[in-house]
Amino acid sequence: MMADTGSEEVAVIGNTDLTPGEIENNMKNTMGEKGTLLFRKMEINVAEAEKRTVKNAVNMQETYTVYLIETRPADAASEGTNPAPDSLWRRYSEFEILRNFLLVTYPHLVVPPLPEKRAEFVWHKLSADNMDPDFVERRRVGLENFLLRVASHPILSTDHVFFTFLTEEDGWKEMVFETGFQAKADSRLKALNATFRVKNPDKRFAEMKHYSDELQSVISQLLRVRARVADRLYGVYKVHGNYGRVFSEWSAIEKEMGDGLQSAGHHMDAYAASVDDILEEEEHYADQLKEYLFYTEALRAVCRKHELMQFELEMAAQDLSTKKQQQEELATGTVRTFSLKGMTSKLFGQETPEQREAKMKALEGQIQEDEDALKDKNTECDDFVRGAWLDIERFKDQKNHDLKEALISYAIMQISMCKKGIQVWTNAKECFNKM
Amino acid sequence: MDTTNTDGGSFNASMQTSPGSMINQYKFDEEDEEQEPGAKDIFITVDDPESHVTTIETFITYRVLTKTTRGEFDSSEYEVRRRYQDFLWLRGRLEEAHPTLIVHPLPEKFVMKGMVERFNDDFIETRRRALHRFLDRVADHPILSCNEDFRVFLSAQAWELTSHKKQGPGFLTRMGETVRAVAASVRGVKNRPEEFNSIQEYVEAFSQKMTSLDRITQRITKEEKEYLEELKEYAPTYTLWSGSEEELAEPLKGMANSLDRCYQETEEQGRQLSDCLAPALHEYVLCSETLKAVLRRRDNIQAELEAKNEALATKRADRDAEPRERGVVWQSLLGKNPEEARQLKQQRLAGEIDELKEEIDKMEDRVEWANNALKGDWGRWQRSMRSDLKEAFLSTAQKNVDYYEKCLAVWESFLLSMRAEVSEVDQRAGDS
């Protein structure tokens, strides 16, 4: 989370019809004033999770989990009053809809990811079952994190659909679908095609795409290794528990050694049990890494969008130059480009001056339109690049900050684990001394 | 029938005094055990394993160095080379000479699981240490250390040892003893004294516990090895990551570095477990077997006595019984009259009974002496078991404390560097 301090002002909850230029303006304003983020204005909590069962379309029982979203004005605590929060229930699929809407509406922004749909990179003791309470709990935390990320984003936090997601339970889904955002989504095929055929993409985006691929690969590897290491560490600790049992049995047949052995045995049991907490805390670290693993997908999406826009720009420019060439040919009477019209006119004779006049007028009109459109597209592209790059820089800072914090918390965890180990074995040593 | 040799094998002639004083010799007072430092008059080391290859076999010899001021040794320093077989021979002789003393076990002849070849370095080193411990224990023992075979083992050159080994009771004598031992063990002891019953019970339970602890320790070693295998991947992954980052590069490299150092500490901790705790526990598994054997031998000695007593009772009953028809008829067939036959039989029985009574006297001494030997050595064994295992567990616990302290230092220094970096960045952000 950004450690912003600053005056609190009423947020401008904008609509999605802002042009890229206006959006950028807004962002500049908000960032300059540092404090009009929704995050500052409103406390957001994903407080609980509940199982619901319902009969679905084919009249079968379906169980799913809903999450309670609580919101409360941020200044309530400082005023001394403690009003009850507003709350509503949402299920995971609704979060997905919200996110898809944001992706389509703000293609130049790095949209925060949702926690994983299914548990991956689990080590064996952790359940991969979606209904498992631990998984549900970790998902609850992840969903809350998602909402907080959006609420603290200078642009996303101003989105009306986001606001109503938090405040209006009924009718929200219908309202979102009515915006028609699903139709605006780019097809994967179109995007892939653009990736291969674009000629002059901004180099920075190519580098960013490469980086996000590398980051994805390395974090995946890290998570896999971590899961295996966790598995093994669990084994080492748990076997020590057997010492506890046997020491206890052995102490029964000894006289002088009995007490020392018995109490040493207790410490061995404690040692074996301590691994559960240790690994649970480590799971939190893994979740932080996972968030950034999923962020790489959002990064790649922005890069792809740039390639698509750039490609369409190039196509439009090429189209325009083709038409201009046609115009020139018509005017000078030379045929430099091959066209069916040209061939047929050669074969079947020239057209009348009136026909030529009409054609030239039409072409001039198209060219004028196309030039205007191209200018707009150019502006659009430039705005996109500028806006996207601004957000990417913001994202980079956030990532560096968050991952440093994650490494720090990992070190703190390790320190705590070492201290526990020192204590247990020091205690055991004292017991052995009494043998 | 060889009944004069009370326990067979080489028995130090200088100790052939009255049974009473022999019994006293086996009473170990606790004070005797607390030798002042410097009272130790014999020091032995076992080192320098060397491989020997012949056409028939390959074997390892160890150098056995002895420094001593004891009178029975001609010189004060000896250097000889011995192979495992020689140790086996020595131990066998010691057990033969003192069947109810607790002789420290040797490392096993073969190791079944987990060993690919007999002569890898770890195996040789573990064996060397165990052989050293064996000789130390014998040297520490007030009775065993005076044994003649022990002296020869430490001092004789190779050919001398070979010829010495050939002496001693021949094959047939040993066979005879084995047959007697088997017969006795088959018969079983009928009236075991209560104190030996409780020792027996203890040994059964102790043996189980040691076996469990040995297995658990091996399992921990195995789990730790597998943990290390996975841990090896950790640091390189962070290093790989640092290559893609700018501001995060240093922290990630720091992380990789910390994980690497922890890996090394974990490796070392694992070594302590397998070098120190595991062999100690395993030795006491073997000790349990030794104890069981010692108890069996004591039982057999008592069983022999009981057998003789029963034979005596039978013969007495025979003597006091009414003359039986069959016996008289048989004698009359041989041309003797019944009265004469009966008197001959009585004479014969009387002679046999006297012989038996003498044997029984000797056996009773033998049993008492065996029991005292065991009782004395039992206390001694318990004390050294307690001290050995306490030492092994203490050093393991200490090593674990050290391990965690070292890892703690690694992470604390990483945390320090991270916090310094973060505050630096914050300062820069604040300044801009």
Side-chain angles (χ1 to χ4, degrees), chain A residues 211 214-215 221 226 228 232 237 243 249 253-254 271 285 399-400 404 410 422 425 429 433, chain B residues 202 209-210 216-217 220 226 230 234 237-238 241 244-245 247-248 255 390 398 400 404-405:
Chain A
Y211 168 77
E214 281 181 356
L215 189 65
Q221 191 177 322
R226 189 210 74 88
R228 287 201 296 262
R232 291 292 160 212
Y237 270 75
Y243 273 148
E249 293 168 9
I253 61 171
E254 295 290 344
Y271 182 70
Y285 174 71
K399 171 203 67 147
N400 288 337
K404 274 189 215 164
Y410 184 83
I422 289 171
W425 286 104
K429 218 179 85 174
N433 243 331
Chain B
Y202 174 87
K209 301 312 146 205
M210 282 303 116
I216 294 168
T217 310
I220 292 179
E226 294 181 343
E230 303 297 347
Y234 231 166
T237 310
Y238 279 100
W241 187 357
S244 313
E245 297 287 342
E247 204 177 310
L248 284 179
M255 186 77 166
K390 175 173 167 177
Q398 182 60 50
N400 284 345
Y404 279 113
E405 281 183 345

Side-chain angles (χ1 to χ4, degrees), chain A residues 10 29 34 42 86 105 143 157 160 215 228 246 260 272 291-292 309 335 342 356 381 393 402 405 412:
Chain A
V10 177
N29 290 338
K34 278 199 198 174
M42 195 191 238
D86 297 318
T105 314
L143 291 174
S157 61
H160 180 67
L215 189 65
R228 287 201 296 262
V246 179
E291 194 193 10
Y292 279 92
M309 289 181 79
V335 183
R356 241 188 49 186
C381 261
E393 290 295 331
D402 287 351
E405 290 298 320
I412 292 174

